[in-house]
Amino acid sequence: MAIRPIVKYGSAVLREMSRPVGEITSEIKDLVADMTATLKEAGGLGLAAAQVGVSLRIFIVDLSALDISAEPKAFINPEILETSGATEYEEGCLSFPGIYQLLTRPDHVRVRALGLDGKEFVEEADGIYARAILHEYDHLDGVLFIDHFSTVSRALVDRKLKKLAKSA
Ligand code: NI
């Protein structure tokens, strides 16, 4: 298990459409183990493979910072089946250090994915869990949380974004 560097805003891989995972090989298992360790070290709630520079449809959600009984969970080739409701919450992203924004997202999500064991599962999530899933799912399509900002909010962080992109 190794900590991998987290790719920051400005890196092209964050805008790529990630490819579906074929077989769950030992490389995929290693990647997921590394992503889980990287996410824990960074203290975030979620991490997509693109954020460690790998353009594959995998993300991890780990809510153990909020709920000590929570276990990190890997979602491979996920598919959003349903969303409902709407809620506003302050959101950040490990690829955007220092940028936080109140964003409205669905309050509930139903998602289908493969687990590391290759078996399909369906997860129902609410609140912050739902938000983390939807945020990470966006990463798989090259969508970033700043894309959900209003024009005004986006203008307010414009200088920070340019600085980030420059150092990427
Ligand atoms: Ni993110």
Side-chain angles (χ1 to χ4, degrees):
M1 214 153 53
I3 307 289
R4 302 198 189 190
I6 295 177
V7 165
K8 302 300 188 304
Y9 174 70
S11 298
V13 67
L14 291 178
R15 285 302 192 186
E16 282 172 19
M17 185 67 121
S18 293
R19 285 172 290 109
V21 173
E23 218 181 312
I24 300 181
T25 58
S26 57
E27 283 81 14
I28 296 291
K29 287 181 181 165
D30 286 348
L31 170 65
V32 166
D34 288 358
M35 284 171 66
T36 306
T38 303
L39 178 57
K40 273 236 188 290
E41 158 99 355
L45 303 181
L47 187 73
Q51 292 181 279
V52 293
V54 180
S55 199
L56 285 174
R57 302 186 79 79
I58 304 175
F59 65 76
I60 312 285
V61 172
D62 182 358
L63 299 181
S64 58
L66 304 171
D67 171 4
I68 49 164
S69 66
E71 298 274 349
K73 194 170 180 68
F75 295 75
I76 299 171
N77 297 343
E79 208 183 320
I80 304 291
L81 302 175
E82 186 195 303
T83 62
S84 60
T87 179
E88 197 181 43
Y89 195 82
E90 191 175 67
E91 203 170 306
C93 177
L94 292 173
S95 296
F96 293 80
I99 297 180
Y100 300 91
Q101 180 63 45
L102 275 176
L103 284 186
T104 300
R105 288 203 191 252
D107 190 40
H108 178 82
V109 63
R110 201 150 59 91
V111 59
R112 178 167 56 209
L114 295 178
L116 254 192
D117 56 5
K119 289 191 185 131
E120 195 176 278
F121 64 90
V122 173
E123 188 82 342
E124 302 258 356
D126 296 300
I128 292 177
Y129 189 22
R131 176 172 298 268
I133 288 170
L134 291 165
H135 175 117
E136 298 314 323
Y137 183 85
D138 272 356
H139 275 294
L140 308 185
D141 290 338
V143 175
L144 301 172
F145 84 135
I146 53 167
D147 302 339
H148 296 288
F149 285 23
S150 67
T151 313
V152 173
S153 314
R154 180 73 179 250
L156 287 173
V157 296
D158 190 57
R159 275 185 56 199
K160 274 188 180 172
L161 288 178
K162 285 201 172 111
K163 248 175 122 176
L164 257 180
K166 229 177 154 178
S167 56

